[in-house]
Amino acid sequence: MATTLSLGDDFHVADFTVTTVHGYTLLLDAPDRRNEHLHETIAQAAHAGDRGYRVFDLASLREGYRLQNARDLLRYGNHQCPLGDRVRLLAALEEYGSMTVSESLNAFKETSPMAGLATLALHGYIEIELDEGPIGPETIVRRLRR
């Protein structure tokens, strides 16, 4: 969800508003030459409202696996993970600390395993390593503490 910043007589709508699990708000913009001269002004307005501001670096966005892994997970954005599956996986992660994706899939009895795993990641119950490589059977899954 985007946030509008007041820039004196003008305004700026950030492309994305991100709130971290720690409650910090960061405003993100895609690279855009038409607003390049305003980046410092936008950053000052964001900081005045106790928010951070950043412009994506296209090169870092395209390199690595994070973007493709995020796209893969977001395909499951409309799914729900039943309580029983969530409790089974979180209990296993509590006991073992971390598991691979393939080990984690055994916890799902009520829903499609990948849909359940992706849903729990998207809702902040678990963490799946996104940067090491494409999500696969050996990818590490950890529980996130709320």
Side-chain angles (χ1 to χ4, degrees):
M1 197 165 154
T3 299
T4 302
L5 291 174
S6 175
L7 305 176
D9 293 339
D10 204 359
F11 66 92
H12 176 74
V13 178
D15 293 324
F16 300 97
T17 300
V18 177
T19 303
T20 68
V21 294
H22 303 292
Y24 180 71
T25 301
L26 178 65
L27 305 178
L28 300 171
D29 275 332
D32 184 352
R33 280 184 261 144
R34 73 168 192 257
N35 287 328
E36 200 169 85
H37 66 285
L38 293 176
H39 288 171
E40 185 60 36
T41 304
I42 295 168
Q44 290 172 356
H47 289 291
D50 290 328
R51 295 170 285 206
Y53 176 73
R54 193 173 96 199
V55 177
F56 279 120
D57 174 30
L58 279 180
S60 67
L61 185 62
R62 289 189 176 130
E63 71 185 33
Y65 301 98
R66 180 173 283 269
L67 183 59
Q68 183 57 49
N69 285 335
R71 283 183 181 146
D72 289 342
L73 290 173
L74 286 172
R75 290 183 185 139
Y76 298 99
N78 291 327
H79 285 78
Q80 296 293 320
C81 183
L83 177 61
D85 287 349
R86 183 177 77 214
V87 169
R88 270 188 294 282
L89 181 61
L90 294 179
L93 289 171
E94 184 71 30
E95 183 175 341
Y96 297 111
S98 66
M99 299 166 66
T100 63
V101 166
S102 62
E103 293 167 333
S104 301
L105 298 179
N106 295 324
F108 296 93
K109 308 292 184 214
E110 302 172 43
T111 192
S112 166
M114 267 321 296
L117 192 69
T119 298
L120 292 176
L122 292 170
H123 286 98
Y125 289 99
I126 62 171
E127 172 183 48
I128 298 176
E129 179 55 55
L130 299 178
D131 295 319
E132 296 298 316
I135 294 173
E138 70 287 343
T139 302
I140 299 298
V141 177
R142 291 183 185 81
R143 181 176 180 175
L144 282 175
R145 298 285 175 196
R146 289 183 170 232

